[in-house]
Amino acid sequence: MPFSAIGSGAIGITPLNPQLFIDNYVKSKKIAKQYDIHLSMAGTQIDKINTYFCGAIGSNCIVTPEGQISTCSRVTKGNDPLASVFMIGEVNKSGFLVDEKKASELIHLNLYSFNYCQPCFAKYVCSGGCPHDRLSFGNAMPEYWCEIVRNIVWYEIRDLAIEQ
Ligand code: SF4
Ligand code: SF4
């Protein structure tokens, strides 16, 4: 994602201006199109609909240098605040040891678990947003995410309608 506050980057930075982001993103899309370049942003690709945002819901298998298994590419250390959620096992001399119960519980991070997403017209494109972001912001995507996603999805729909 091009805009996602994380770690030290989440503290003391100027808040994102959603409208400025949308305006500049749309300008970039138009320029990319002139050069036949496909420019897209996670959560706004209208040809990719889903009920979950990414494989962090239990299908990713990311092995850290220390041999831990994570389903989120941002959670790569045992002392990460979300390690207890996304670290599901380890690799050692015995092989892959996965806590299957914990891994299967991650399925709850899908779109249908988030009530406030249900009326959203962009829900199957956004799929409820990045689970890591969601959990970092009190189990709700930041408002700027929703504003940006809805506007860009709407832009993509109009652009497709005009093309056709
Ligand atoms: S939860 Fe977010 S940061 Fe983690 S793998 Fe999925 S998209 Fe990436
Ligand atoms: S834009 Fe916001 S409300 Fe809509 S599906 Fe995404 S996270 Fe949910």
Side-chain angles (χ1 to χ4, degrees), residues 53 57 82 85-86 105-118 126-143 145-146:
F53 191 81
I57 66 157
L82 290 175
V85 177
F86 293 112
E105 282 168 1
L106 290 168
I107 197 77
H108 296 300
L109 294 171
N110 74 74
L111 175 65
Y112 297 120
S113 303
F114 314 132
N115 287 340
Y116 78 91
C117 291
Q118 301 318 309
C126 168
S127 311
C130 158
H132 185 286
D133 261 6
R134 173 178 291 281
L135 294 174
S136 302
F137 291 101
N139 206 25
M141 291 303 283
E143 277 180 30
W145 167 266
C146 297

Side-chain angles (χ1 to χ4, degrees), residues 7-124:
S8 55
I11 303 161
I13 56 166
T14 310
L16 185 77
N17 178 330
Q19 195 55 54
L20 192 59
F21 184 96
I22 295 160
D23 291 345
N24 284 324
Y25 182 78
V26 168
K27 269 188 215 163
S28 306
K29 287 271 310 185
K30 286 178 179 167
I31 293 169
K33 203 171 177 181
Q34 284 170 9
Y35 291 95
D36 209 19
I37 294 170
H38 179 71
L39 177 69
S40 65
M41 187 183 101
T44 66
Q45 294 166 272
I46 59 173
D47 57 342
K48 291 185 182 160
I49 59 170
N50 219 328
T51 54
Y52 58 92
F53 191 81
C54 70
I57 66 157
S59 54
N60 280 352
C61 178
I62 296 151
V63 181
T64 73
E66 286 76 33
Q68 291 156 310
I69 300 172
S70 171
T71 65
C72 173
S73 56
R74 275 192 203 165
V75 179
T76 58
K77 292 192 175 122
N79 62 359
D80 188 288
L82 290 175
S84 62
V85 177
F86 293 112
M87 291 283 190
I88 57 163
E90 62 176 342
V91 185
N92 60 30
K93 286 180 183 163
S94 310
F96 274 74
L97 304 174
V98 174
D99 181 338
E100 289 183 21
K101 183 170 177 288
K102 196 172 173 190
S104 62
E105 282 168 1
L106 290 168
I107 197 77
H108 296 300
L109 294 171
N110 74 74
L111 175 65
Y112 297 120
S113 303
F114 314 132
N115 287 340
Y116 78 91
C117 291
Q118 301 318 309
C120 175
F121 83 95
K123 66 181 177 183
Y124 293 118

Side-chain angles (χ1 to χ4, degrees), residues 6 15 25 28 83 114 121 125 146 148 150 152-153:
I6 183 171
Y25 182 78
S28 306
F114 314 132
F121 83 95
V125 183
C146 297
I148 289 170
R150 287 184 189 133
I152 293 176
V153 168

